[in-house]
Amino acid sequence: GPLEEVSLPLYFGWFLLSSIQDKIKCTSMDFLKTLDTLEAFKKHLIDFSGKAEEVDLEQYFQPTGILHCTTKFCNYGKAEGAKEYAEKQAVKDFYGSIFDLSLSALFVTPRTFGARVSLTEEQLQLWPADADAEKQAESVPAAASLPLGSRAHVTLGCAENVEPVQTGVDLLEILTLQQEGQQGEQVEEMELGTLTYYGTGKWLLNLREPISAPACFSSFYG
Ligand code: A2P
């Protein structure tokens, strides 16, 4: 009946606990501030503004609300595979549990700013298997051969008029380039890690020390 349909959320995911949200916001803003000032970044400014003019990355990316890593976008049951996902045993068993997410990289494109999440085997039980593979194949065809869970990320900000769903697509594009053997251009050893440029405005900072982020597996109704 209609009640069952509305009982499915907008999405399931891991919601970062508030203590770590603040830390990540600070770290990520510091990163944007530094990136802004690098000569290598300035050289490729045209990717961001269409002009060789300076951009203030902290202004460029709008925050997108509570920091989380989406596992399954259900769209209140309208998304394909939503019901099946909600009925998975692992989803029921782990609902409300706290996990330690490992944030292993930060990435910036002209559209989105995000953190890559490296999932453990246990966490992968909460990742949708088939639907995700299809979704990946649709948005980034070459990403179909990436390991399950490659899309896992936390959206940290979006450029004007860009939807957060783009962050996962941008991450898959970078990982696809890596898988195809594109080394990228290692531009800088930063305090946080190694910064690599993958062309057309794609920047990835591999964190020397992954950020461990406690997060609650739950859902968002909006
Ligand atoms: P993300 O997980 O990259 O942050 P919205 O507010 O646009 O409805 O999105 C709610 C959340 O669901 C966001 O976190 C968003 O992106 C994610 N999301 C939206 N649409 C999709 C989709 N088609 N596939 C996967 N995730 C989505």
Side-chain angles (χ1 to χ4, degrees), residues 29-220:
M29 283 304 140
D30 282 349
F31 167 61
L32 289 185
K33 238 182 250 172
T34 310
L35 183 61
D36 241 350
T37 62
L38 296 179
E39 281 311 314
F41 183 78
K42 287 184 185 164
K43 210 170 81 186
H44 298 289
L45 262 181
I46 198 118
D47 297 334
F48 279 80
S49 60
K51 305 172 229 126
E53 267 171 30
E54 283 200 23
V55 285
D56 179 349
L57 290 178
E58 285 174 279
Q59 302 278 318
Y60 186 90
F61 293 113
Q62 328 269 312
T64 51
I66 175 170
L67 297 184
H68 67 275
C69 174
T70 304
T71 51
K72 175 68 186 169
F73 181 70
C74 292
N75 199 14
Y76 308 110
K78 290 193 285 267
E80 201 176 315
K83 191 161 176 280
E84 291 75 9
Y85 179 82
E87 285 169 357
K88 266 169 77 103
Q89 196 57 44
V91 170
K92 291 182 187 166
D93 289 349
F94 287 129
Y95 198 81
S97 304
I98 304 293
F99 289 78
D100 245 317
L101 294 186
S102 173
L103 277 49
S104 53
L106 300 178
F107 58 95
V108 166
T109 78
R111 298 162 299 277
T112 64
F113 175 33
R116 180 182 189 191
V117 178
S118 295
L119 299 174
T120 62
E121 285 300 320
E122 185 185 53
Q123 292 161 0
L124 278 170
Q125 292 177 44
L126 292 168
W127 198 258
D130 312 332
D132 186 59
E134 279 163 30
K135 196 89 224 158
Q136 276 189 21
E138 263 169 48
S139 48
V140 188
S145 60
L146 289 172
L148 191 71
S150 294
R151 190 194 182 110
H153 67 277
V154 175
T155 297
L156 298 170
C158 287
E160 219 179 338
N161 299 321
V162 173
E163 299 284 341
V165 63
Q166 182 65 41
T167 318
V169 177
D170 286 356
L171 175 59
L172 288 176
E173 278 181 10
I174 295 174
L175 297 180
T176 303
L177 292 174
Q178 283 182 344
Q179 182 171 267
E180 286 169 352
Q182 266 219 30
Q183 306 277 297
E185 181 190 333
Q186 291 213 353
V187 286
E188 196 96 6
E189 280 300 330
M190 299 174 76
E191 207 180 306
L192 287 169
T194 309
L195 180 70
T196 306
Y197 180 62
Y198 287 95
T200 56
K202 298 188 190 74
W203 298 87
L204 181 91
L205 175 78
N206 255 320
L207 295 174
R208 214 180 305 282
E209 294 263 351
I211 300 171
S212 158
C216 180
F217 179 68
S218 181
S219 60
F220 182 83

